[in-house]
Amino acid sequence: MMDTVAVNGEVRRLEELRLQDFLQSFFFGAGFFETFLIEEGAPMFLERHLARLRSSLAAHASCVRAPPPEVLTAGAVREALRRCLEADVHLGPRFTGVGKWVAGDGRLLLSFRSLAPQHERTLRDGWVLDEVEDRCYRRGDPSLNHKSLSYLRQYTHLGRGTVFVNEAGELCEVPNGNLFFLVGDTVVTPPLEAPCLPGVIRSVLLEEGRLGGLPVVERVLTREQLGDVRGCVLTNSVSLVLAVPLLLGRALPESHEWAGYARAVVREFARREG
């Protein structure tokens, strides 16, 4: 993580932060986070990320102390981002990398990190999913629709190609994103009740409604139906769209083509939304 951060819009140095200012977040995970891509100094899908963060805070108002409303606006965040980038020579106004907000204890902490060294290679080659964790999710569990700081199950699988499955054998998500499957003449993504995170890129593709001329729908997909899958992509807010060329031992040669379709849609939405 870079040394320059912002707390409720105030530019600070990381070493200046005090643990007592983040007691509930640090010790109990009573907070929420958003991770987003910054390209040439511009945050991607800023309004969507803020809307999801505000929604999570509102849904847990009794147990998570939200930052002041005025720091949760797009204008305030853009200004804090601009001043952080200008204040740190290692960032700079044209910084490309990852931004992260943590909201809790009445504060909004904005921090930065570089893209992973393997980022470009992963975009090119895709992400292999070769593990399943069965019965690890409970259908309808609302806690998994929010990016809580208490995400230990997902954290322990980061960097691994794990698919999370609920007690009914239905596919849910992966540690680093949502999944879309090409099944017959339809592109299918698991419903939020599976459960899975309402990912920002997921919402963009559902709003578009079509990929490569085929409809995009929310629908349950079980492990037994994986034999019908012709292609698969993984979506998240940093890589945007990744092809899944190998899914639990099955080669999916169409995944790269469909990842290209999806990436074009996401880029066009980002261009329109600024």
Side-chain angles (χ1 to χ4, degrees):
M1 190 165 71
M2 304 295 188
D3 292 334
T4 298
V5 300
V7 179
N8 286 357
E10 179 187 355
V11 178
R12 305 276 295 277
R13 299 291 292 175
L14 185 62
E15 62 268 20
E16 296 173 356
L17 302 187
R18 303 180 307 169
L19 179 59
Q20 59 262 40
D21 291 335
F22 301 90
L23 290 180
Q24 294 297 312
S25 302
F26 186 85
F27 287 111
F28 299 103
F32 299 95
F33 73 98
E34 291 286 323
T35 304
F36 54 96
L37 182 63
I38 302 171
E39 288 190 334
E40 297 288 314
M44 188 173 288
F45 296 117
L46 174 62
E47 294 278 9
R48 292 176 183 263
H49 282 286
L50 279 172
R52 187 171 65 180
L53 184 59
R54 288 192 294 260
S55 175
S56 293
L57 289 166
H60 298 81
S62 63
C63 54
V64 176
R65 188 157 61 93
E70 60 268 22
V71 306
L72 290 170
T73 67
V77 169
R78 287 186 191 279
E79 178 61 17
L81 173 62
R82 182 190 65 79
R83 288 192 279 112
C84 283
L85 298 188
E86 289 182 351
D88 193 327
V89 67
H90 298 294
L91 296 170
R94 301 184 68 83
F95 172 73
T96 292
V98 182
K100 182 175 181 178
W101 296 309
V102 175
D105 291 289
R107 293 172 174 82
L108 182 68
L109 171 65
L110 169 63
S111 61
F112 307 89
R113 64 174 171 82
S114 301
L115 292 167
Q118 69 273 21
H119 179 73
E120 291 298 327
R121 185 177 73 249
T122 303
L123 291 180
R124 182 184 67 247
D125 297 342
W127 192 266
V128 171
L129 298 177
D130 54 5
E131 299 181 27
V132 172
E133 186 161 346
D134 273 314
R135 305 180 66 85
C136 62
Y137 280 17
R138 178 173 56 83
R139 198 173 212 288
D141 180 357
S143 66
L144 291 166
N145 295 149
H146 303 277
K147 295 197 77 166
S148 166
L149 299 182
S150 304
Y151 73 125
L152 292 181
R153 182 182 298 278
Q154 290 88 342
Y155 183 79
T156 58
H157 287 269
L158 285 178
R160 295 161 56 185
T162 305
V163 179
F164 295 133
V165 177
N166 68 18
E167 80 283 3
E170 300 165 353
L171 279 66
C172 300
E173 61 182 5
V174 293
N176 57 335
N178 296 112
L179 292 171
F180 287 79
F181 303 93
L182 177 59
V183 184
D185 59 356
T186 307
V187 180
V188 176
T189 191
L192 295 182
E193 296 77 19
C196 64
L197 184 75
V200 167
I201 307 304
R202 176 185 184 274
S203 70
V204 166
L205 296 181
L206 284 170
E207 287 175 32
E208 175 69 10
R210 300 190 75 81
L211 275 182
L214 300 183
V216 180
V217 301
E218 291 180 281
R219 195 172 76 198
V220 167
L221 189 73
T222 66
R223 287 192 64 181
E224 288 71 25
Q225 295 172 303
L226 283 178
D228 299 326
V229 173
R230 296 161 40 204
C232 178
V233 299
L234 184 164
T235 65
N236 63 44
S237 291
V238 174
S239 297
L240 304 182
V241 182
L242 294 175
V244 178
L246 193 65
L247 176 63
L248 304 181
R250 291 188 64 241
L252 300 176
E254 295 186 54
S255 293
H256 283 284
E257 179 182 12
W258 287 88
Y261 295 150
R263 198 172 292 118
V265 168
V266 172
R267 286 289 180 185
E268 176 57 21
F269 266 70
R271 185 192 66 79
R272 294 202 304 258
E273 295 183 13

